[in-house]
Amino acid sequence: MRRKHIAPILAAALTGLVALSGCQGGSQGDSGGRSHSFIIGAGEVDGLDPVQTKTMTAQMVVANLYANLIEQKMVPVADGYLDGTEEYVNSIVKSYETSADGKVLTFTLADGLTFADGSPLTADDVVYTMKRTLSDASYVSGSSTVFMHISDAEKQIVAVDPATVRVTLDSPAPALNAFLALSTFGILNAEKGTANAGANGAATEFFVKNATPSGPFTLESWNAGESVKLAKNPKYVHAGDVYPEQLTILNMADEDQRYLALKNGDIDVALDLSPRLVKEASSEPALTVHSMPSNTLYYLGMNAKVAPFDNKLVRQAVAAAVPYELLMQEVLLGQASPAYGVVPHNMATSTAPSETATQYQTDPQRAKQLLAQAGVSNLTVDLSISSADPISVDSAVHIQTALAQAGIKVQIKQLADADFETKSKAQELGFFVANWASWVQDPFFQMRALLLTDRATNRTGFANAEFDKLVLDGIAEGDKARRDELSAQAQRIVVDEASFVGLFTKNLTVVTRSDVDGITLADDQLLRLKYLSRK
Amino acid sequence: MTRYLLRRLLSSAITIALMAVLVFFASRVLPGDPAVIRAGNDATPELIARIRAEHGLDRPLYEQFFHYLGGLLHGDLGTSVRTGNPVSADLLTFLPATLELSLLAFVVAVLVGVTVGTVAAAKAGRWPDAAARGFTAVGGSMPSFWLALMAIFVLVYTLGLFPSPVGRLPLGTSAPPRHTGFLTIDALLAGDGALAASALAQLALPALLLGTLSSIALARITRTAMIDALSASHTRAARGLNLRRRHILVQEGFRNALPTILTSMGFVAGHLIAGNIIVEQIFSWPGIGRYLSTAISQSDLDVVQGFVIVVGIGYVLINLVVDLLYVVSDPRIDLRRAG
């Protein structure tokens, strides 16, 4: 008798599960009830150490947990977002003085500063943080040291008194402010770091898992792989300007899911949506698309040490065959700007004649002529791309078609991302599509990273002694006019060599519910969430 | 029985040992240099060398192998190059989410698969059988990512039958104190029935989806095994004796088909404990499937090895349980011969 009822009981259990879900569920449809709290659909947080995190979401979290000495000034622009300017304003300092020779910087901290736990924030914390970021414990120490002109952090960064920090530079550093405003220089609690120094003495294990917030938000919880919850930090020096009371940053790995959740009002902001979904979102009245010109540069790399790209005419022929406009329209669906050389048009000293100029003109006939001049026919080349980047994959298909018209047969090789990273950084790929976004809007930072001989991120194998000298001189140069001239000369060499062909700069796109305001475009492309508000 | 059990345990241990050796060398075939990936864009040759040294990647392969084996014997699965955490700690963080989902999905798979297969066999050639075959054919031919997205679109956002797929708990809910890592159980241990219900509700759709997808193979095998059993001579004899249909279906059909069904259930359970990357991705489920997916893309060798070993042990244990269930379920199995 009992057995007779097993099937109905099981069926009832399943139905019950659905019913239970129905009771618990129900779409919200709007963001009602969340006036001061925001939910952001993003990616994974891989840690909380400002100088160790690698994912963009983790870096965004860190940028909002820690305050810097200075921060980038944001101004509203017509497109409805806040754009980062070249001006830097005081954050936790009340004054910032530079000596007449530009080599000695004196920072005076604001009065009564504390960390979120109430412990005082003093000059010792600033010194600890800066030295740590410039040490081996940091993955950004190399470039930071070079561009900030601090060759010996131990001696050059000192606490004069509890409220004063003095930094002595090797020479004036034009990019210094941009570095000081990066999340990697967010002020950590020195006492906690020293108490938890760990194996490497820099408290890496501690700061990867724990936060000592000094910025606009505190860490409420971090469920690995799932979500991070931030709450407004009432001890933050500018707490009165912070609108959000609570932020939830969800790890939503699937972009379609992020989009559906946003459309349904479950989340307020969706990051990193594909051009297809951004376009779809633009026709939804409940959503707002912020498509912001950024410096994420997609480029075609041709390794001059690998045949047939050791022939400059071949490189120029390829550059002439690439369908630049088509890529922007068909792959990015209009969410991109033309690229010109190695320095994007929206970065200082760019030699681009206008915002719409491309580095090379699409001209298949000219490509054929250049190939004929090079004495090359029936050319077949492998185009390597990372299979993890759909934009590279789609671009490669269009490039393949366009180059076929110029008589070049392209075989697309999709590599696993780790494989692509390793091989391209070892300069083993002859022909590839890659991308780059500098955190610092400095032309020499950009050129050093992408093309200085044997830099880790010089994937093209570009090696030009004259270029290297111009870039290194530019990094050391304090005079703006001279710097601009050095930059222009270096850029011209890159265009002429045609090893590095800019394809387009991809816009940074952020899609929000229509009632969300305060999206920012900082130089490092990390959202500064304290500006979020409701319309 | 004890001797049989010991033999099975010994063969399981040998299987795990062989797997450990295999996975070490197989993971070395993964493309990409984890040290280069970890070092990032500001890398210098010195930094890359230091990372290699820290993770023992600069040692000869045989040294790495013995170091790895030594670690395994002490329960050390290595350290993730990406997170910097011990792999065992990371797996303990993510495994409960997968197990909680997999257990419920397994229940669904068994309920649906065995029921559909049994009904199809009992009504072979008639409309319930055609419907069951339609279910397995259609379900088996649909990509799981598409099915998952459609399920979310229709069942969550259109009909509102399930809560939003935003992870293991609804938005704005805090997790209970961690004891088991199973949120439903931890919530009950914390005396919070409402939270347990919320956690169960979040589980429902991914579990139903994963369970239903997993039930397809089970339904097919159950149907085939049941049809074989129902057409066997002993069943025809039972019919000739005018035994009740229910008796024929259960005693002659199901009991004789059970070893085959148990084998299939073992496969389903093994498949489920490995996590389902697609379902975990789409439902924002923080399980080991997603953890592995990221590790592979970053060439995080210790994680890949640790994952395979832990899941492999799970497989072996499930097979052991299935083998023992054979013995319990089928008196015809002679332990002396089976051993």
Side-chain angles (χ1 to χ4, degrees):
Chain A
M1 192 65 183
R2 196 176 290 163
R3 283 181 185 169
K4 205 179 222 174
H5 295 296
I6 287 176
I9 288 169
L10 295 179
L14 279 178
T15 312
L17 201 57
V18 176
L20 172 68
S21 305
C23 294
Q24 299 286 332
S27 51
Q28 292 172 303
D30 56 38
S31 53
R34 294 206 301 262
S35 67
H36 284 263
S37 69
F38 297 83
I39 300 168
I40 300 167
E44 187 191 4
V45 173
D46 64 343
L48 299 171
D49 186 340
V51 295
Q52 285 292 328
T53 54
K54 291 285 168 59
T55 65
M56 285 292 278
T57 305
Q59 287 159 352
M60 178 182 76
V61 167
V62 164
N64 288 284
L65 282 173
Y66 294 104
N68 293 57
L69 293 173
I70 55 173
E71 62 187 43
Q72 196 175 11
K73 185 177 181 182
M74 299 282 167
V75 295
V77 292
D79 290 337
Y81 60 91
L82 298 167
D83 196 11
T85 65
E86 290 182 22
E87 192 181 338
Y88 293 85
V89 295
N90 292 342
S91 178
I92 64 163
V93 297
K94 63 181 178 188
S95 71
Y96 167 17
E97 291 166 8
T98 308
S99 64
D101 63 0
K103 289 169 66 174
V104 180
L105 315 172
T106 306
F107 299 95
T108 307
L109 302 183
D111 299 327
L113 288 177
T114 67
F115 288 97
D117 65 0
S119 56
L121 191 163
T122 70
D124 287 339
D125 299 299
V126 176
V127 172
Y128 173 83
T129 301
M130 291 185 71
K131 286 181 178 175
R132 187 173 184 272
T133 304
L134 296 170
S135 76
D136 284 348
S138 155
Y139 75 97
V140 294
S141 62
S143 54
S144 303
T145 303
V146 168
F147 280 89
M148 294 171 81
H149 298 182
I150 300 173
S151 54
D152 186 350
E154 285 301 321
K155 289 182 183 163
Q156 291 174 251
I157 304 169
V158 293
V160 177
D161 59 51
T164 312
V165 176
R166 189 175 63 228
V167 179
T168 308
L169 308 178
D170 300 327
S171 59
L176 184 100
N177 285 349
F179 274 86
L180 286 177
L182 291 178
S183 60
T184 48
F185 282 91
I187 307 304
L188 307 172
N189 187 319
E191 194 181 329
K192 294 268 175 64
T194 309
N196 298 280
N200 67 353
T204 298
E205 284 178 33
F206 175 77
F207 285 116
V208 163
K209 291 173 187 158
N210 301 280
T212 59
S214 53
F217 298 98
T218 62
L219 181 69
E220 205 171 271
S221 67
W222 172 29
N223 295 322
E226 194 167 5
S227 65
V228 170
K229 283 185 186 167
L230 307 180
K232 182 175 173 177
N233 174 10
K235 304 278 174 59
Y236 174 54
V237 64
H238 304 296
D241 299 333
V242 179
Y243 178 84
E245 293 289 338
Q246 193 176 56
L247 299 164
T248 304
I249 296 153
L250 290 176
N251 178 6
M252 303 177 90
D254 184 75
E255 65 156 353
D256 287 296
Q257 216 277 73
R258 281 199 296 280
Y259 177 65
L260 285 173
L262 180 71
K263 208 171 145 184
N264 194 51
D266 291 327
I267 64 175
D268 300 292
V269 180
L271 304 180
D272 202 22
L273 295 179
S274 66
R276 169 182 64 87
L277 289 174
V278 171
K279 189 177 180 190
E280 196 177 322
S282 63
S283 60
E284 288 287 336
L287 304 179
T288 300
V289 171
H290 299 281
S291 187
M292 305 175 278
S294 82
N295 67 337
T296 302
L297 175 64
Y298 273 76
Y299 65 93
L300 198 57
M302 287 176 269
N303 192 328
K305 294 171 187 165
V306 178
F309 302 107
D310 52 349
N311 186 331
K312 189 164 142 182
L313 290 170
V314 172
R315 301 199 297 269
Q316 289 174 336
V318 170
V322 171
Y324 303 99
E325 185 62 30
L326 190 73
L327 292 177
M328 285 188 281
Q329 296 311 320
E330 295 295 320
V331 179
L332 273 296
L333 304 177
Q335 297 148 35
S337 308
Y340 190 94
V342 64
V343 177
H345 65 77
N346 53 356
M347 190 179 278
T349 78
S350 169
T351 52
S354 72
E355 287 189 2
T356 54
T358 53
Q359 180 178 347
Y360 304 94
Q361 303 303 312
T362 307
D363 186 347
Q365 288 309 315
R366 174 158 170 70
K368 284 180 181 171
Q369 287 166 8
L370 286 164
L371 283 176
Q373 280 178 39
V376 174
S377 58
N378 299 323
L379 191 59
T380 300
V381 293
D382 288 339
L383 176 59
S384 302
I385 47 171
S386 165
S387 58
D389 180 20
I391 290 176
S392 289
V393 175
D394 289 351
S395 298
V397 174
H398 287 284
I399 292 168
Q400 182 184 44
T401 307
L403 264 60
Q405 289 171 10
I408 303 171
K409 187 179 178 189
V410 172
Q411 293 172 331
I412 297 172
K413 277 178 70 179
Q414 288 199 36
L415 304 177
D417 195 46
D419 198 20
F420 181 84
E421 280 292 300
T422 305
K423 284 183 174 154
S424 62
K425 285 180 173 172
Q427 302 179 351
E428 289 174 8
L429 303 178
F431 188 39
F432 59 89
V433 176
N435 66 77
W436 174 261
S438 284
W439 268 22
V440 177
Q441 299 303 294
D442 183 276
F444 294 101
F445 185 91
Q446 178 96 350
M447 289 191 282
R448 174 181 181 266
L450 288 168
L451 294 169
L452 194 77
T453 303
D454 290 338
R455 276 291 302 162
T457 40
N458 175 356
R459 301 170 199 252
T460 58
F462 186 84
N464 182 303
E466 189 188 351
F467 173 86
D468 286 356
K469 185 172 185 319
L470 288 166
V471 169
L472 295 174
D473 287 352
I475 291 169
E477 181 59 56
D479 179 69
K480 186 179 178 305
R482 175 70 185 137
R483 231 173 167 255
D484 290 357
E485 176 51 32
L486 291 169
S487 171
Q489 285 180 38
Q491 289 176 63
R492 278 194 287 274
I493 292 173
V494 177
V495 173
D496 183 53
E497 285 287 319
S499 289
F500 181 100
V501 177
L503 296 174
F504 48 79
T505 51
K506 176 182 169 290
N507 286 2
L508 174 67
T509 50
V510 178
V511 185
T512 68
R513 298 290 299 176
S514 293
D515 64 337
V516 174
D517 212 355
I519 295 300
T520 54
L521 175 63
D523 280 354
D524 56 16
Q525 301 193 25
L526 305 174
L527 293 187
R528 297 308 195 265
L529 301 171
K530 67 177 179 178
Y531 294 103
L532 279 184
S533 63
R534 300 271 180 203
K535 286 174 185 167
Chain B
M1 183 70 175
T2 309
R3 199 169 167 195
Y4 171 75
L5 190 61
L6 285 173
R7 283 188 180 185
R8 290 294 290 112
L9 283 173
L10 182 64
S11 66
S12 299
I14 292 169
T15 307
I16 291 167
L18 287 174
M19 185 178 62
V21 174
L22 189 67
V23 71
F24 175 84
F25 291 103
S27 64
R28 262 55 194 174
V29 180
L30 273 179
D33 182 340
V36 171
I37 307 299
R38 178 63 194 159
N41 287 335
D42 211 16
T44 57
E46 295 76 29
L47 177 60
I48 292 170
R50 202 179 76 210
I51 294 171
R52 283 210 181 95
E54 281 171 3
H55 291 269
L57 297 166
D58 57 341
R59 298 184 204 167
L61 195 61
Y62 74 89
E63 266 190 44
Q64 290 184 43
F65 177 66
F66 287 117
H67 179 75
Y68 155 78
L69 279 188
L72 277 187
L73 291 175
H74 293 91
D76 178 6
L77 298 174
T79 305
S80 165
V81 175
R82 188 173 66 89
T83 66
N85 294 332
V87 173
S88 51
D90 277 352
L91 285 175
L92 277 177
T93 301
F94 297 114
L95 193 59
T98 293
L99 286 182
E100 193 173 33
L101 174 61
S102 299
L103 276 175
L104 194 56
F106 181 70
V107 172
V108 173
V110 171
L111 290 180
V112 175
V114 174
T115 306
V116 169
T118 304
V119 170
K123 307 283 183 185
R126 293 157 65 184
W127 73 264
D129 184 27
R133 279 182 289 154
F135 162 71
T136 56
V138 173
S141 61
M142 279 197 275
S144 55
F145 75 89
W146 182 84
L147 208 57
L149 280 173
M150 288 311 293
I152 290 171
F153 181 71
V154 175
L155 301 176
V156 176
Y157 295 129
T158 306
L159 300 176
L161 287 175
F162 293 89
S164 299
V166 289
R168 300 178 75 191
L169 285 172
L171 294 170
T173 314
S174 296
R178 186 180 169 113
H179 297 289
T180 63
F182 286 51
L183 292 186
T184 45
I185 296 173
D186 286 347
L188 289 174
L189 289 175
D192 192 339
L195 186 61
S198 295
L200 191 60
Q202 291 296 126
L203 261 174
L205 184 56
L208 281 175
L209 185 78
L210 198 53
T212 306
L213 286 171
S214 303
S215 74
I216 290 166
L218 195 53
R220 282 185 181 143
I221 289 168
T222 302
R223 176 182 176 275
T224 306
M226 284 287 289
I227 285 176
D228 284 349
L230 290 173
S231 58
S233 55
H234 56 81
T235 312
R236 288 201 300 275
R239 284 203 187 95
L241 290 170
N242 268 336
L243 294 178
R244 290 170 58 194
R245 280 188 63 191
R246 179 186 175 75
H247 174 91
I248 292 169
L249 189 66
V250 175
Q251 295 297 326
E252 306 300 329
F254 193 75
R255 281 201 68 176
N256 283 293
L258 193 54
T260 311
I261 295 171
L262 281 175
T263 306
S264 181
M265 283 164 62
F267 282 130
V268 168
H271 165 73
L272 287 171
I273 59 162
N276 186 304
I277 294 171
I278 291 170
V279 170
E280 288 183 4
Q281 292 266 80
I282 292 176
F283 284 89
S284 306
W285 203 261
I288 55 172
R290 275 202 332 193
Y291 178 59
L292 175 72
S293 162
T294 313
I296 291 174
S297 72
Q298 305 272 307
S299 206
D300 201 343
L301 301 182
D302 283 2
V303 171
V304 176
Q305 287 166 188
F307 175 90
V308 174
I309 287 168
V310 167
V311 170
I313 290 172
Y315 261 96
V316 168
L317 289 177
I318 287 168
N319 276 326
L320 186 63
V321 170
V322 168
D323 285 353
L324 294 176
L325 286 176
Y326 282 164
V327 178
V328 175
S329 68
D330 192 344
R332 292 169 300 179
I333 293 176
D334 183 347
L335 278 184
R336 281 165 300 182
R337 292 175 66 184

